Amino acid sequence: MIQTALLSVSDKTGVLELAQALHARGVKLLSTGGTAKLLADNGLPVIEVANHTGFPEMLDGRVKTLHPSIHGGLLARRDLPEHMAAIAAHGIETIDMLVVNLYPFEATVAKADCTLEDAIENIDIGGPAMVRSAAKNWRDVVVLTDAAQYAQVLSELNTNGDVSDTTKFKCSVAAFNRIAQYDSAISNYLSTLDAETRDVNARAEFPAQHNANLIKVQDLRYGENSHQSAALYRDLHPAPGSLVTAVQLQGKELSYNNIADADAAWECVKEFSAPACVIIKHANPCGVAVGASLGEAYDKALKTDSTSAFGGIIAFNGVLDGAAAAAVAKQFVEVLIATDYTAEALAIFKAKANVRVLKIDLSLVQKSGSDWQQGRNAQDIKRIGSGLLIQTSDNFDAPLADLKIVTEIKPTAQQMDDLMFAWKVAKFVKSNAIVYCAGGMTLGVGAGQMSRLDSAKIASIKAAAAGLSLSGSAVASDAFFPFRDGLDVVIDAGASCVIQPGGSMRDDEVIAAANERGIAMVLTGVRHFRH
């Protein structure tokens, strides 16, 4: 039975209504500071913790709940007579419910003008201590650390007169999870500071200790192969417009490979402001295009490699209409992604029950002019044996003003458009990557080869197999040409211009080859390795 509740929250969302409901059930209310004032101002009989403990708050409020009357009341096991006798001997009353959310440390350090003093003063001490005590004694104490929990607990109290062990345990686990998240945030922040200078304006990009906070979204049927088990996790605060925010509208459960490929498709298609379509197979784009409509973009993307597109992942950066849906529905597709769907489009795919249809809301993603300012990942993380590789994400966009034209022949405006399109696609192709493009579509993609020369050859072979001419095409190479032979292959195939990072000790030789063969070459100064 809930007879006494202690409420002390920074975020006061819903706490007044909770307290009113508890008071109506005859529950004694204990509280501190601003929470106590809120309850008292609204006519609730509330006992200040200082009056309950007989010990005043001190050190500017740093010490108020760190007292045996609080922790004894939370930790005493009701089923152990010796516990009950001990607290009775000291005049300690049991506390049956704890409602606490912590000082807003994460929100504080996220502010651009946050000082070290601000950060330190927003490290909660008493709150986490109480939460741990209550969560440890979960059979006897209900611990609420999130306003989203209030409704369920009140519902059970109204229906059964008490809170079930199942709900108590769930709340206990949620409480320990919240403490872990909170302590991780503090550790991550402080670990970025130099111990001598403690300059918050010169924080390290990567903390001395990295504490990840990931929330399980779902268990998966299996991993990359059927003998492997797997689960999907998301960041505690995922970027808006990222795959983990997707809503599945229909279809079978997503597999490990579906999710990996869908992420590749979605991240690529968000690069384009014009209506775009990306078709992914085994984590590589096998067709990318922009058009006047999503339907036109799909038709162009499919032409690149219709064979590989069979059973692929298809992503669109807009609302899919009936006409485009009817075209897509003619082929076998594993996963379909769009920002939304018309009723006609959904009706078309309803007849294909196995197709996994995902909607990803981009309403929180702001636009600036005609360019997407998508919620990009800040970091990429790769697991290795007993460790992690962490890097900033490859969000380099190659501004036109930073490009360097190094050949005697200069690219035309159309060629420059094709080069920039090819460069965007190359960023999402596994290295070594060679991409032929023209007219806002891919013509041939060579991916994942140990030799750049082989990637160049494969890309031209794929174009020929699709019946696409490479005459006058633009080519992107994700890294520099180490020798002129790869350049000769793409020129022989029909390329009229090339974009590449440069930076090879043989750049002069490669540039001379471009001049000899009469093509335009642009250097970005930045490579796009993708392993």
Side-chain angles (χ1 to χ4, degrees):
M1 294 289 293
I2 308 298
Q3 296 180 316
T4 302
L6 195 165
L7 303 90
S8 180
V9 294
S10 292
D11 179 356
K12 296 175 175 55
T13 302
V15 74
L16 175 60
E17 294 77 9
L18 174 64
Q20 290 170 332
L22 292 173
H23 172 63
R25 297 188 60 82
V27 176
K28 180 194 291 188
L29 303 177
L30 308 179
S31 192
T32 63
T35 307
K37 184 177 186 304
L38 172 67
L39 303 188
D41 287 348
N42 283 274
L44 291 173
V46 58
I47 300 172
E48 284 270 6
V49 161
N51 294 327
H52 177 75
T53 63
F55 196 92
E57 290 187 15
M58 60 183 296
L59 306 181
D60 297 321
R62 286 189 174 197
V63 177
K64 51 190 173 186
T65 59
L66 296 171
H67 193 280
S69 291
I70 299 299
H71 288 273
L74 292 170
L75 283 166
R77 284 180 54 176
R78 283 42 160 187
D79 62 333
L80 294 180
E82 57 270 34
H83 277 207
M84 300 308 291
I87 64 171
H90 293 282
I92 296 174
E93 301 176 21
T94 57
I95 299 172
D96 312 299
M97 176 182 284
L98 178 70
V99 184
V100 168
N101 52 56
L102 310 175
Y103 292 175
F105 179 84
E106 296 99 326
T108 299
V109 299
K111 297 175 181 177
D113 59 351
C114 176
T115 65
L116 179 58
E117 183 179 0
D118 292 336
I120 294 297
E121 289 307 312
N122 277 277
I123 296 176
D124 203 332
I125 302 300
M130 288 192 295
V131 168
R132 291 177 67 88
S133 292
K136 177 174 181 175
N137 200 23
W138 66 270
R139 290 187 184 277
D140 297 316
V141 183
V142 184
V143 54
L144 305 180
T145 51
D146 190 317
Q149 299 168 322
Y150 300 171
Q152 174 66 30
V153 167
L154 287 177
S155 175
E156 290 191 20
L157 285 173
N158 292 333
T159 302
N160 306 317
D162 204 352
V163 181
S164 68
D165 280 356
T166 298
T167 297
K168 287 179 181 178
F169 186 73
K170 286 181 178 178
C171 289
S172 171
V173 173
F176 281 118
N177 287 344
R178 176 61 187 129
I179 297 303
Q181 294 161 1
Y182 194 73
D183 286 343
S184 293
I186 295 169
S187 171
N188 284 346
Y189 178 82
L190 296 179
S191 292
T192 63
L193 297 174
D194 179 85
E196 293 186 4
T197 66
R198 299 173 296 282
D199 183 356
V200 297
N201 296 312
R203 292 169 55 206
E205 191 165 20
F206 301 101
Q209 177 167 314
H210 176 81
N211 304 280
N213 282 306
L214 301 172
I215 309 298
K216 187 164 78 170
V217 177
Q218 65 187 92
D219 289 309
L220 303 175
R221 288 177 297 159
Y222 52 83
E224 208 160 10
N225 300 290
S226 59
H227 61 278
Q228 296 172 268
S229 56
L232 170 64
Y233 288 78
R234 66 164 175 81
D235 289 335
L236 182 62
H237 302 293
S242 54
L243 182 71
V244 294
T245 67
V247 176
Q248 185 168 350
L249 303 180
Q250 73 160 58
K252 297 187 296 184
E253 180 184 328
L254 289 162
S255 71
Y256 180 99
N257 292 330
N258 289 156
I259 293 168
D261 287 347
D263 184 62
W266 184 243
E267 291 300 312
C268 182
V269 83
K270 288 194 300 180
E271 289 286 308
F272 301 97
S273 55
C277 173
V278 173
I279 306 174
I280 292 284
K281 195 67 173 289
H282 297 306
N284 276 302
C286 60
V288 180
V290 294
S293 67
L294 295 183
E296 180 185 347
Y298 169 71
D299 288 341
K300 292 166 69 176
L302 183 62
K303 289 177 182 177
T304 304
D305 190 351
S306 59
T307 300
S308 297
F310 181 84
I313 312 296
I314 304 178
F316 295 94
N317 63 352
V319 179
L320 197 68
D321 61 19
V328 173
K330 293 177 182 177
Q331 76 166 65
F332 171 46
V333 55
E334 287 273 7
V335 181
L336 182 64
I337 312 172
T339 63
D340 207 345
Y341 303 83
T342 65
E344 184 181 2
L346 290 176
I348 289 170
F349 282 103
K350 194 172 183 179
K352 293 180 171 287
N354 288 335
V355 177
R356 302 159 178 89
V357 177
L358 305 183
K359 171 186 172 181
I360 301 182
D361 183 13
L362 285 178
S363 63
L364 297 178
V365 178
Q366 298 181 351
K367 294 181 184 179
S368 175
S370 62
D371 295 327
W372 289 105
Q373 300 297 315
Q374 68 271 27
R376 290 170 157 177
N377 296 317
Q379 293 182 334
D380 285 334
I381 300 176
K382 183 178 292 187
R383 182 72 169 155
I384 60 171
S386 298
L388 296 174
L389 287 171
I390 304 177
Q391 64 175 349
T392 57
S393 294
D394 183 5
N395 293 326
F396 181 75
D397 290 324
L400 285 173
D402 294 344
L403 300 180
K404 185 178 181 181
I405 300 171
V406 293
T407 47
E408 297 164 359
I409 294 180
K410 311 304 178 187
T412 65
Q414 180 60 57
Q415 286 176 324
M416 188 59 78
D417 286 345
D418 289 338
L419 288 170
M420 296 310 297
F421 178 88
W423 185 246
K424 284 186 177 182
V425 175
K427 185 166 74 170
F428 295 93
V429 178
K430 298 290 186 181
S431 301
N432 286 307
I434 294 290
V435 181
Y436 292 84
C437 298
M441 65 176 283
T442 49
L443 301 173
V445 179
Q449 298 304 303
M450 290 70 76
S451 163
R452 190 161 303 280
L453 185 63
D454 289 340
S455 289
K457 291 176 180 177
I458 289 171
S460 62
I461 291 170
K462 298 288 284 185
L468 298 173
S469 171
L470 298 179
S471 178
S473 60
V475 169
S477 174
D478 65 336
F480 61 66
F481 287 96
F483 304 97
R484 69 167 289 168
D485 54 0
L487 182 67
D488 284 325
V489 168
V490 300
I491 297 172
D492 289 343
S496 65
C497 53
V498 171
I499 187 168
Q500 56 125 332
S504 167
M505 62 184 296
R506 294 185 176 85
D507 271 355
D508 289 344
E509 175 186 326
V510 174
I511 294 170
N515 284 325
E516 174 191 321
R517 300 295 302 271
I519 70 160
M521 179 176 287
V522 175
L523 302 185
T524 66
V526 175
R527 74 184 186 197
H528 277 319
F529 271 168
R530 188 177 183 86
H531 291 106

